[in-house]
Amino acid sequence: MTHPLLERGFTVTAVDESAEMLERVRGARTICGPIEDLDLGERFEAVLLASFLVHTGDSEVRRGLLRTCARHVGADGCVLFQREGADHHTDLPRERVDPSGFTVRIVSSEPVGEGVHSVRAEYEFPDAVWTQTFRARPLTDAQFAEALGEAGLRVDRCPTDDGTWVRAVAV
Ligand SMILES: C[S@@+](CC[C@H](N)C(=O)[O-])C[C@H]1O[C@@H](n2cnc3c(N)ncnc32)[C@H](O)[C@@H]1O
């Protein structure tokens, strides 16, 4: 997501624990490491936590991610979350064609205990298919709001009709 933001004129600090992912970033400051441990000693107008990371299966990691968001947002700034839609674990299988040409298919989501699901995804390219299995914790609106509240954040509004993006601000 860094490059579209740069194209729109934003200055971006891109954080990822994958060095290979950050090697692909051009024109932005990059920070390699776990988001949950990050403390840059700076605050930003906007902090983005995308890729449904707020749904990580590990509640402690989620708390760390949210504290990092709160630690880095300015007093008049906002945190933008990409969260799951209400039917993400029931409307299955489902797929979408990415603008860059590959198909993402969410094949299944199986409960594995303690509120966590094991999700299987397929990424279909003209010459290859990748599969990924990851753990996700669905969050009701109340659970999502409570998790944000623990970190000193509150939901402000949902900028998209499907509710998958949330604008939050400091309490
Ligand atoms: C779907 S990819 C998105 C990559 C890129 N930001 C983009 O927009 O194309 C999700 C990324 O989140 C990173 N990630 C997942 N959990 C993380 C964590 N706790 N700390 C830092 N990076 C994390 C992964 O390494 C992966 O590169």
Side-chain angles (χ1 to χ4, degrees):
M1 72 166 42
T2 297
H3 295 151
L5 290 170
L6 293 172
E7 284 161 18
R8 286 161 176 77
F10 292 101
T11 303
V12 178
T13 297
V15 182
D16 202 301
E17 61 190 2
S18 162
E20 289 85 354
M21 181 61 81
L22 291 176
E23 276 169 19
R24 307 179 72 86
V25 173
R26 298 280 174 272
R29 171 193 185 196
T30 59
I31 308 283
C32 190
I35 295 167
E36 56 271 32
D37 295 343
L38 189 70
D39 188 355
L40 297 175
E42 296 170 55
R43 291 187 181 263
F44 298 83
E45 282 177 67
V47 174
L48 269 79
L49 191 70
S51 301
F52 311 106
L53 292 188
V54 72
H55 291 278
T56 177
D58 185 326
S59 298
E60 266 314 301
V61 171
R62 185 195 66 234
R63 290 188 185 100
L65 296 172
L66 289 169
R67 284 195 296 264
T68 296
C69 293
R71 194 158 54 235
H72 290 89
V73 69
D76 297 324
C78 67
V79 184
L80 291 169
F81 292 99
Q82 186 181 26
R83 66 174 293 206
E84 293 174 347
D87 59 358
H88 267 210
H89 295 272
T90 51
D91 176 23
L92 299 169
R94 68 172 187 280
E95 64 181 44
R96 69 172 176 85
V97 178
D98 189 85
S100 61
F102 65 91
T103 299
V104 186
R105 188 173 301 115
I106 305 298
V107 182
S108 61
S109 172
E110 301 296 335
V112 291
E114 298 183 2
V116 175
H117 285 227
S118 176
V119 180
R120 185 168 175 81
E122 288 177 0
Y123 302 84
E124 193 174 305
F125 296 84
D127 57 346
V129 178
W130 296 344
T131 60
Q132 180 190 24
T133 303
F134 58 91
R135 293 197 166 197
R137 180 183 295 280
L139 297 169
T140 63
D141 287 348
Q143 289 166 334
F144 182 76
E146 185 184 348
L148 265 59
E150 285 176 3
L153 297 169
R154 69 168 173 83
V155 172
D156 173 42
R157 60 188 165 84
C158 298
T160 57
D161 290 339
D162 65 1
T164 60
W165 285 92
V166 174
R167 182 185 194 275
V169 294
V171 173

